[in-house]
Amino acid sequence: MAKIPTGALTTHVQQLPAGAAGGTVPEGEPPVVVLVHGLLTDSLASYYFTLGPALSAAGMDTVMYDLRGHGRSDRPATGYRLEDFVEDLALLLDGLGERRPVHLVGNSFGGTVAAAFAAWHPERTATVTMIESEPPVAAWAGHIADGLAHARRELVHQEAIDWIREHYGAHTARLSRTAGRILETTTLAEDVPAGRLIEDDLSALRCPLLAVFGGDSGLSAQVPELEAKLAECRTVVLPGQGHSVLVEQPGRTRNLVLEWVREHHARRTTAPAGAVV
């Protein structure tokens, strides 16, 4: 574990080099995978207990970090626009000395951050995997504004926390209480929906995109649009799953990400010099 300066803040990061989690180190330069978690109730821990060690064991340099305001990263009172999260990631990669194009895997809001990073830093992005996510377009901004406003109204009430504890357990209740504190003490709820967006036609997303959805979450309705607008897009819908795909289907998610990253890393390492992949 380490804390890396990222502008005026410090970001908590954990790296698992290829083979560090019990696998073998591959020949040649391994791919680097950066895991980006979701908002409010999430942290890098969700990846540490699901994808992170498996990716390392499979021969991939793996980076997990806490978003600003989350986990052990700094929690400023303001500065939560999407471009702030993207700049944090760029500065984190700089601080780690990482110059390879990265394979970004984002869960929920983390997928939105990953897509924005790919749009604004295409030269630094190999692929994007969005798990139960939306790209940062106008429709997303409306959805996230409504969701954050609802969370801020509800999570300040002890009755809501008690209901969460009764139905989802003490751990989820603690996470929800922390989310309420974040929303009370920062401008996150106002900032996130007001941030910079990409074009609705998704023309800024030029890297290969894997999108994984739960069939019952509603976000899978994006599949036809993503497949129509993006030059290289693979979509997977898991029947009977809601929004918690990463936690409830870690093995299936791991296999999808491994296959995707391996396929595109092989393309990059075998492509002729100067070729666009």
Side-chain angles (χ1 to χ4, degrees):
M1 293 185 293
K3 286 199 170 184
I4 301 292
T6 47
L9 306 180
T10 59
T11 295
H12 173 231
V13 60
Q14 183 157 354
Q15 295 176 274
L16 294 176
T24 58
V25 179
E27 295 182 5
E29 187 174 64
V32 56
V33 183
V34 180
L35 308 176
V36 192
H37 67 76
L39 273 179
L40 295 177
T41 58
D42 211 354
S43 71
L44 69 77
S46 64
Y47 283 117
Y48 185 84
F49 292 108
T50 55
L51 297 188
L55 297 178
S56 170
M60 300 177 184
D61 289 339
T62 305
V63 178
M64 301 169 281
Y65 72 102
D66 287 326
L67 296 173
R68 60 170 55 210
H70 296 71
R72 297 182 181 178
S73 291
D74 288 350
R75 185 183 297 173
T78 61
Y80 290 92
R81 295 197 174 204
L82 183 59
E83 53 265 42
D84 298 315
F85 290 97
V86 170
E87 181 66 8
D88 289 343
L89 177 52
L91 292 172
L92 177 64
L93 295 175
D94 291 343
L96 295 174
E98 187 54 70
R99 293 294 179 265
R100 290 169 289 176
V102 297
H103 298 268
L104 296 170
V105 178
N107 183 48
S108 194
F109 177 69
T112 307
V113 173
F117 185 93
W120 302 333
H121 298 281
E123 75 288 350
R124 304 191 74 169
T125 310
T127 67
V128 170
T129 298
M130 299 196 316
I131 304 168
E132 271 291 298
S133 303
E134 296 178 84
V137 297
W140 165 82
H143 298 160
I144 196 72
D146 291 344
L148 289 170
H150 175 76
R152 187 164 59 176
R153 287 193 304 270
E154 296 299 321
L155 294 181
V156 296
H157 300 296
Q158 183 60 44
E159 293 85 353
I161 302 300
D162 291 341
W163 185 91
I164 292 169
R165 180 181 295 105
E166 179 181 351
H167 289 83
Y168 296 101
H171 177 66
T172 302
R174 286 194 296 272
L175 295 176
S176 299
R177 189 183 299 278
T178 298
R181 285 198 293 268
I182 295 171
L183 292 170
E184 279 189 293
T185 59
T186 74
T187 58
L188 185 148
E190 297 87 359
D191 290 354
V192 169
R196 179 184 174 189
L197 302 176
I198 66 174
E199 298 83 354
D200 282 350
D201 65 6
L202 303 183
S203 58
L205 281 177
R206 299 187 293 275
C207 71
L209 174 72
L210 169 65
V212 182
F213 300 107
D216 295 343
S217 78
L219 290 177
S220 59
Q222 299 174 85
V223 167
E225 182 178 16
L226 292 174
E227 292 182 341
K229 290 182 176 179
L230 296 175
E232 185 172 357
C233 176
R234 184 178 301 165
T235 58
V236 178
V237 179
L238 303 180
Q241 289 298 311
H243 190 59
S244 301
V245 167
L246 177 64
V247 173
E248 294 179 2
Q249 292 285 340
R252 181 72 187 277
T253 306
R254 175 199 63 215
N255 291 339
L256 289 168
V257 172
L258 282 173
E259 178 185 4
W260 180 253
V261 173
R262 284 170 171 162
E263 174 187 337
H264 290 279
H265 181 65
R267 284 193 203 176
R268 299 185 71 90
T269 55
T270 59
V276 177
V277 294

